């Protein structure tokens, strides 16, 4: 008989102002907290975090920059810092790399973790895995963790105040859940319950974004929270997270492989995971030889959600840089999940087709 091992976050709170519940949530998990995050994220929430922990009689031991990369050296540094301080709770704030680092630190020490995303760029806040890089930012691996966050606080007011490009990244990354799982299912048809559940959640992600994504993106361009934003936050964090959880991570394909290729180029590495995945989505559809009409419809949705349609919207790459991105994407493990073999020539042709169609959108 096969063994199943699903790891879920214990509690997810989403809504305007839920950061005000941090104190009570933290007090139920520990008494000595270490706050870790990106520099901008720490500045955005430090006063609220300090006030919440003080009111709940939880000691804030220190706050630490996550280090800039989810790398083995940064994870070891922060784990040593938490152990020295005798922390019994980690609070992570920021985007995907910051939260992945915090998850790895908490798992290494066996400590509970509260995640507070300050941008809605990925589903990292809820998932029990970390995408690790080397210290230079090159993709290293996808590392499964034995635990998920004990609590996730998704404050829509906080996320509405972040730059809109990060919501666009979250929309692009979450659309990939459907595009990629559908592609993977051609090679590995979903027949058992967990895979069928993951496939269903990935379609929910797509349907919610198709209906609410453009309105949510427009609201965040104005710095406003909205009902549409709440809907897409559920898709980005909860439904996308469930897609990953129920598939045990085996749902990524060409879109993430192309992103992984971009991490090997200095010009594109820091552009934004979900924005690069979003461009990769369109290349995936081209690799599947889907009709022009379908690509144009999906490209229109991508544009309405702030996802780039052309390489020049990402960076101006010379021939050698583009060849590097393509070569590394073809060699990325996720590319092997495509139903048909993918070559460097076919990725280049897919990019060229997407760029040619972009002029019609």
């Amino acid at each position: 008989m096969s063994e199943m091992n699903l790891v879920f976050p214990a509690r997810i709170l989403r809504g305007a102002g839920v950061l005000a519940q941090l104190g009570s949530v933290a007090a139920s998990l520990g008494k000595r907290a270490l706050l870790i995050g990106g520099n901008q994220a720490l500045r955005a929430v430090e006063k609220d975090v300090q006030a919440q922990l003080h009111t709940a009689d939880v000691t804030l031991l220190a706050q630490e920059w996550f280090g800039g990369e989810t790398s083995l050296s940064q994870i070891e540094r922060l784990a040593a810092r938490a152990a020295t301080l005798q922390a019994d709770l980690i609070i992570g704030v920021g985007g995907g790399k910051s939260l992945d680092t915090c998850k790895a630190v908490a798992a290494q020490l066996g400590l509970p973790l509260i995640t507070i995303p300050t941008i809605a760029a990925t589903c990292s806040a809820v998932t029990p895995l970390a995408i690790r890089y080397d210290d230079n930012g090159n993709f290293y691996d996808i590392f499964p963790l034995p635990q998920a966050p004990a609590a996730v606080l998704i404050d829509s007011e906080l996320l509405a105040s972040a730059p809109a490009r990060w919501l666009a990244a979250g929309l692009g990354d979450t659309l990939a859940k459907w595009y990629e799982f559908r592609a993977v299912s051609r090679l590995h048809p979903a027949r058992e319950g967990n895979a069928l559940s993951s496939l269903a959640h990935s379609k929910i992600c797509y349907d919610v974004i198709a209906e609410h994504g453009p309105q949510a993106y427009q609201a965040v361009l104005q710095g406003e929270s909205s009902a549409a934003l709440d809907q897409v936050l559920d898709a980005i964090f909860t439904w996308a997270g469930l897609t990953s959880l129920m598939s045990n991570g085996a749902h990524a394909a060409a879109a993430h492989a192309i992103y992984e290729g971009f991490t090997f180029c200095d010009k594109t590495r820091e552009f934004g995971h979900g924005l690069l995945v979003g461009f990769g989505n369109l290349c995936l559809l081209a690799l599947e030889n889907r009709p022009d009409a379908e690509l144009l419809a999906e490209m229109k949705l991508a544009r309405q959600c702030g996802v780039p349609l052309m390489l020049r919207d990402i960076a101006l790459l010379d021939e050698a840089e583009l060849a590097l991105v393509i070569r590394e994407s073809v060699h990325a493990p996720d590319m092997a999940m495509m139903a048909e073999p993918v070559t460097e020539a076919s990725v280049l042709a897919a990019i060229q087709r997407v760029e040619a169609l972009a002029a019609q959108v």
Side-chain angles (χ1 to χ4, degrees):
M1 296 182 66
S2 62
E3 181 177 299
M4 181 177 68
N5 181 25
L6 299 176
V7 183
F8 292 91
R11 187 177 182 188
I12 299 175
L13 294 82
R14 191 272 299 152
V18 297
L19 186 56
Q21 299 183 48
L22 173 62
S24 61
V25 172
S28 71
L29 297 169
K31 288 295 184 183
R32 296 171 58 83
L34 174 62
L35 177 64
I36 302 172
N39 286 325
Q40 290 184 347
L42 289 169
R43 286 193 292 270
V45 303
E46 60 183 341
K47 290 183 180 179
D48 288 331
V49 170
Q50 289 168 1
Q52 282 288 311
L53 296 184
H54 177 75
T55 300
D57 198 27
V58 175
T59 300
L60 179 58
L61 300 169
Q63 61 184 52
E64 292 281 341
W65 178 49
F66 83 99
E69 290 296 344
T70 308
S71 64
L72 296 178
S73 62
Q74 296 297 344
I75 293 166
E76 290 295 333
R77 175 183 68 84
L78 291 163
R81 177 70 168 147
T84 298
L85 292 169
Q86 297 183 314
D88 60 11
L89 171 65
I90 305 293
I91 300 174
V93 300
K97 287 187 176 183
S98 174
L99 297 181
D100 277 6
T101 302
C102 294
K103 289 185 296 185
V105 170
Q108 182 166 318
L109 298 174
L111 297 179
L113 169 70
I114 299 172
T115 58
I116 305 171
T118 56
I119 57 175
T122 72
C123 62
S124 172
V126 305
T127 55
L129 58 84
I131 300 176
R132 299 190 298 187
Y133 304 81
D134 64 25
D135 287 328
N136 295 319
N138 298 316
F139 174 77
Y140 178 68
D141 69 2
I142 298 176
F143 185 61
L145 301 169
Q147 66 180 48
V152 184
L153 273 62
I154 303 166
D155 191 317
S156 53
E157 287 183 346
L158 176 64
L159 293 168
S161 67
R165 72 185 303 269
W166 295 120
L167 178 63
L171 296 171
D173 194 47
T174 305
L175 285 168
K177 295 295 188 283
W178 169 242
Y179 298 136
E180 289 190 304
F181 209 129
R182 180 177 58 178
V184 170
S185 295
R186 291 180 58 201
L187 184 64
H188 302 289
R191 294 191 177 97
E192 55 90 27
N194 287 344
L196 290 168
S197 174
S198 187
L199 183 62
H201 284 116
S202 73
K203 185 59 163 59
I204 291 171
C205 288
Y206 177 85
D207 290 342
V208 169
I209 291 175
E211 181 172 355
H212 300 287
Q215 302 98 305
Y217 180 66
Q218 288 300 316
V220 172
L221 282 172
Q222 306 301 319
E224 298 173 355
S225 185
S226 66
L229 177 60
D230 282 342
Q231 289 294 308
V232 300
L233 291 179
D234 287 343
I236 290 168
F237 292 107
T238 305
W239 306 123
L242 285 168
T243 300
S244 300
L245 289 165
M246 300 305 292
S247 69
N248 282 324
H251 61 277
H256 275 81
I258 289 169
Y259 156 74
E260 288 150 14
F262 277 122
T263 70
F264 285 85
C265 177
D266 291 340
K267 289 182 180 177
T268 56
R269 182 178 296 122
E270 300 300 330
F271 186 73
H273 171 92
L275 294 170
L276 296 172
V277 170
F279 179 77
N281 288 335
L282 307 175
C283 298
L284 179 153
L285 297 174
L287 285 168
E288 291 185 304
N289 294 312
R290 293 188 175 273
D292 282 359
E294 182 176 348
L295 261 74
L296 287 167
E298 301 306 323
M299 292 170 76
K300 180 180 178 181
L301 174 61
R303 172 158 287 176
Q304 290 174 334
C305 291
V307 172
L309 306 188
M310 303 186 73
L311 280 174
R312 72 187 184 196
D313 298 327
I314 299 169
L316 296 177
L317 301 181
D318 61 31
E319 188 174 328
E321 291 165 334
L322 179 56
L324 171 65
V325 169
I326 291 172
R327 181 173 65 251
E328 294 297 337
S329 70
V330 170
H331 294 154
D334 289 331
M335 195 65 86
M337 299 301 289
M338 296 295 289
E340 303 293 336
V342 176
T343 65
E344 293 179 30
S346 62
V347 174
L348 177 60
I351 292 172
Q352 290 172 337
R353 183 180 173 205
V354 167
E355 298 224 300
L357 288 171
Q360 301 180 42
V361 178

